């Protein structure tokens, strides 16, 4: 679907389901992992039963949307490297989360993981398939060959997104969404910073020039008003001389 959905009650609160009805567009594990990282997230890690249930609800909503979405497993970020112990009883313990999470939570389907050459993990999503020994092939995990083509689920950290009320998802593809409005408002501050910072040197230069001009004007004003008594009475004679025309 390519739509981010965010929840406020999980440590990492945003998810994106990448579902492709066109089978040729589905990707291998490493391609899915790279796509999530390029998009600013990571291939899904699941840290609890509650988070597993949240993802199941998202997938159920997709199925009920009437958009023709049907079978198609989803890569999650669980995998193992190396083949040394791939066929031993220790194999299940070799799986790790691609995003570095150390969560021990697992939700394997019956008799999984089968190990061997299957080293990457999908979440089952086959609503039209007949149930197996472990029940319907829905939402439980299965290890598969890493080059198989599947849909995938990305997960995003909360540092880029505002927190919203628990259990109240926001679809960021809709401009009228409250989530979209919050994201737009919080984006104003960085834009103002980029505009204001380059103008600081110019503002300082103008301030210095204005201060210098005011200082010079004040200094000249004091020079005109502050004159010595001798200078101010030079045109008056201290000893009046007799005017010859006044003599009798």
């Amino acid at each position: 679907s390519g739509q981010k959905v965010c929840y406020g009650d999980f440590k990492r609160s945003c998810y994106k389901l990448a579902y492709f009805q066109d089978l040729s567009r589905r990707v291998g594990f490493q391609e899915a992992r790279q796509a999530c990282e390029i998009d600013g997230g990571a291939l899904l890690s699941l840290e609890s039963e509650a988070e597993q249930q949240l993802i199941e609800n998202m997938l159920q909503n997709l199925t009920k949307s009437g958009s023709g979405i049907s079978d198609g497993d989803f890569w999650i970020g669980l995998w193992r490297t190396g083949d040394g112990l791939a066929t031993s009883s220790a194999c299940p313990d070799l799986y790790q989360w691609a995003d570095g999470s150390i969560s021990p939570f697992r939700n394997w389907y019956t008799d999984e993981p089968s190990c061997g050459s299957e080293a990457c993990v999908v979440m089952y999503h086959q609503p039209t398939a007949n149930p197996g020994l472990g029940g319907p092939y829905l939402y439980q995990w299965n290890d598969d060959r890493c080059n198989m083509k599947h849909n995938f689920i990305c997960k995003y950290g909360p540092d880029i997104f505002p927190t919203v009320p628990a259990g109240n998802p926001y679809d960021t593809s809709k401009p009228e969404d409250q989530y979209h409005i919050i994201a737009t408002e919080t984006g104003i501050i960085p834009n103002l910073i980029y505009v204001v910072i380059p103008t600081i040197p110019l503002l300082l230069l103008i301030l210095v020039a204005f201060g210098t001009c005011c200082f010079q004007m004040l200094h000249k004003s004091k020079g005109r008003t502050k004159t010595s008594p001798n200078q101010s009475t030079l045109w008056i004679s201290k000893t009046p001389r007799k005017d010859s025309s006044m003599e009798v």
Side-chain angles (χ1 to χ4, degrees), residues 134-198:
Y137 293 98
L138 284 172
Y139 318 127
Q140 292 177 300
W141 306 354
N142 168 53
D143 58 340
D144 200 356
R145 294 193 304 276
C146 298
N147 61 352
M148 296 297 287
K149 307 297 183 182
H150 295 296
N151 305 303
F152 58 93
I153 305 173
C154 298
K155 184 176 181 180
Y156 302 83
D159 52 328
I160 354 179
F161 303 104
T163 300
V164 298
N168 185 14
Y170 293 112
D171 183 350
T172 61
S173 68
K174 299 178 182 177
E176 69 274 15
D177 236 22
Q178 180 181 348
Y179 172 87
H180 180 82
I181 295 172
I182 294 173
T184 302
E185 289 177 351
T186 56
I188 292 174
I189 294 177
N191 291 337
L192 287 179
I193 291 174
Y194 288 124
V195 171
V196 172
I197 288 179

Side-chain angles (χ1 to χ4, degrees), residues 80 82-92 94-95 113-118:
R80 61 176 169 79
D83 296 322
L85 300 175
T87 57
S88 74
S89 59
C91 172
L94 300 179
Y95 285 86
S114 52
C115 298
S117 61
E118 299 178 343

Side-chain angles (χ1 to χ4, degrees), residues 15 72 92 108 115 119 121-122 124 132 139 157 180 240 245 248:
Y15 306 87
W108 296 111
C115 298
V121 178
V122 295
Y124 274 137
Y139 318 127
H180 180 82
S245 63
V248 178

Side-chain angles (χ1 to χ4, degrees), residues 1-15:
S1 62
Q3 300 172 352
K4 278 197 188 80
V5 180
C6 298
Y7 296 82
D9 55 349
F10 286 92
K11 183 179 178 182
R12 291 182 170 179
S13 55
C14 297
Y15 306 87

Side-chain angles (χ1 to χ4, degrees), residues 229-241:
N230 292 335
Q231 290 174 330
S232 61
T233 56
L234 285 178
W235 61 281
I236 303 176
S237 174
K238 291 182 181 180
T239 55
R241 60 180 182 178

